[in-house]
Amino acid sequence: MKGIWRQIVLALAAALLALAFAGAVPSSAVSASATTFSGQATVVKGTVLGLPVTLVDTGPVAVTGGELEQNLLCYPSGSNCTIGGLPDPTGGALNAQVLHAAVVAHGNTSRAEATVAQVGLVNVAGNNISAEFVSARAEAKCTGGSASVSGSVEIVELTINGTTYEVGADVRREIALPGGGVVILNEQTLVASGGDGQIDVNAIHVIIPLANTDLIIAAAHADIHCAALLECPGKHSFVTGGGWFLPGKQHFAVAGRDGEAWGHVMWKPTGLHIRRPFAKVFRDLATLSTELKSHPKLTKPSVLDPAAAFEGAAILWWTADGTPDAKIVGEALAIDMGEPGRSDFFAIAGLDSSGELASNGAGPLSGGNVQMHGKCSATGA
């Protein structure tokens, strides 16, 4: 009898042990198969004249992914600025316009971008630093369970103490300032190993010890921890971007989410600043071309070449009462035609003096970028 009871006890113990492991397997399997993310974008951060300054910061995206955006038309005030008179503790030492930051982390990619127009430091320890347009972009991506990272910077018409500099793609270029200061361009820190990748990109980093100033203009961070076998699940379609087109350097910034009120549209020439526009995202040229027939006031590109590197597009609109089906009082078109963005396109239409929609401006980008997020393929988004 003792032998029988011993066998029963051992069998029960084995069963309980098996149940314990069975309960643990799903949890570990979930954590092993889930891709995790981080990402953050900030337009301006640091100190100016010893004063802490942070302008347009998305904060960190959730570890499970998501989308964040922040925007501001100008700081502290400016022409055609509907949000003027913001507190200016720097006493005019810092100015910036059309500030845009966005993070989109879904599927197999985490992306962050920060853009700003007409940004400058004025008479900081005798230094004057300005740029017509600045952007930083960071991407961390999984392909077949392996992580890769990339970053880019665009700086247009950088002027330092009266000298204008051509800024190329070189990483970490340093320009000395009088008195021991320095301007660092395209500052990047990156690591990619196995299934883990992370990258930080700072477009402009100004250090002026004499004035207790350490300021970063356009900062983007992205990282990712890859699942062993990652597909591209779910519908996560977004378009984000910022830049300018000719004539007259018409600056804009845009963020839209398919089928929802999210993001913003900013257009510097008129001071337009729309929050939470409605948007429809298009994944192929044929569907976009058909839809554009219903939007005659939006200027179209002269050529929509089916063989071109079309990555996606969005039509965004806003209404008088904030509901999607009410009378449209403005709309915009953003098209991503691949990198580096000179074939990307932006158009905007708003009400004229008679209360009807009219084309306000359009053109291929002369600077900046429109980015499609969430276009899944066999190799990812």
Side-chain angles (χ1 to χ4, degrees):
M1 286 293 294
K2 288 183 180 180
I4 294 175
W5 279 112
R6 184 173 183 274
Q7 292 177 17
I8 292 174
V9 169
L10 289 174
L12 286 172
L16 289 172
L17 190 60
L19 286 172
F21 276 107
V25 167
S27 175
S28 61
V30 168
S31 62
S33 63
T35 294
T36 57
F37 309 87
S38 78
Q40 186 167 356
T42 312
V43 177
V44 177
K45 65 178 181 179
T47 57
V48 177
L49 303 176
L51 301 169
V53 177
T54 301
L55 300 177
V56 186
D57 182 9
T58 63
V61 76
V63 69
T64 53
E67 58 284 336
L68 302 169
E69 60 87 19
Q70 291 292 329
N71 56 92
L72 183 66
L73 189 58
C74 58
Y75 175 88
S77 62
S79 61
N80 292 331
C81 183
T82 56
I83 309 178
L86 292 177
D88 181 17
T90 70
L94 171 66
N95 55 80
Q97 301 194 24
V98 195
L99 297 84
H100 155 88
V103 176
V104 178
H106 285 298
N108 72 338
T109 308
S110 176
R111 293 190 181 104
E113 64 186 36
T115 70
V116 59
Q118 298 169 332
V119 61
L121 286 171
V122 180
N123 194 24
V124 178
N127 292 286
N128 295 284
I129 302 166
S130 65
E132 177 68 23
F133 178 77
V134 180
S135 74
R137 301 178 188 278
E139 176 182 283
K141 184 175 182 178
C142 296
T143 304
S146 296
S148 62
V149 297
S150 62
S152 64
V153 159
E154 185 174 358
I155 304 172
V156 178
E157 294 184 19
L158 174 68
T159 302
I160 301 175
N161 295 329
T163 300
T164 299
Y165 294 83
E166 292 291 331
V167 180
D170 293 344
V171 175
R172 195 177 176 86
R173 178 184 177 186
E174 297 188 10
I175 300 172
L177 297 174
V182 65
V183 177
I184 305 170
L185 309 177
N186 197 4
E187 188 176 46
Q188 296 191 21
T189 304
L190 55 92
V191 176
S193 177
D196 296 297
Q198 65 176 6
I199 181 169
D200 288 275
V201 180
N202 299 325
I204 300 177
H205 189 174
V206 180
I207 303 172
I208 307 176
L210 287 175
N212 196 8
T213 294
D214 189 332
L215 191 72
I216 294 172
I217 299 170
H221 164 78
D223 79 31
I224 200 164
H225 172 72
C226 302
L229 295 173
L230 182 67
E231 302 299 332
C232 192
K235 181 183 178 183
H236 303 296
S237 297
F238 299 82
V239 168
T240 64
W244 54 278
F245 56 91
L246 298 174
K249 293 182 180 175
Q250 302 177 57
H251 288 277
F252 75 94
V254 64
R257 176 174 182 166
D258 192 25
E260 296 187 19
W262 180 87
H264 56 268
V265 175
M266 293 186 287
W267 193 51
K268 178 60 173 58
T270 64
L272 179 74
H273 189 183
I274 301 298
R275 293 184 175 87
R276 296 176 61 79
F278 304 101
K280 184 175 181 180
V281 171
F282 301 87
R283 295 170 175 267
D284 63 85
L285 275 173
T287 306
L288 173 64
S289 298
T290 299
E291 180 67 24
L292 284 174
K293 295 176 182 178
S294 302
H295 299 265
K297 301 305 180 182
L298 280 175
T299 301
K300 292 84 173 170
S302 57
V303 176
L304 282 174
D305 183 1
F310 179 80
E311 295 294 333
I315 294 176
L316 305 97
W317 71 96
W318 45 102
T319 63
D321 65 2
T323 59
D325 299 322
K327 180 182 177 181
I328 294 175
V329 297
E331 56 187 7
L333 168 66
I335 304 177
D336 178 6
M337 296 297 291
E339 303 307 322
R342 296 300 79 82
S343 296
D344 293 352
F345 186 88
F346 182 81
I348 191 164
L351 297 183
D352 61 15
S353 58
S354 65
E356 298 298 323
L357 275 180
S359 176
N360 296 131
L365 270 55
S366 297
N369 187 275
V370 172
Q371 179 69 62
M372 173 74 178
H373 306 267
K375 186 178 180 182
C376 297
S377 67
T379 57

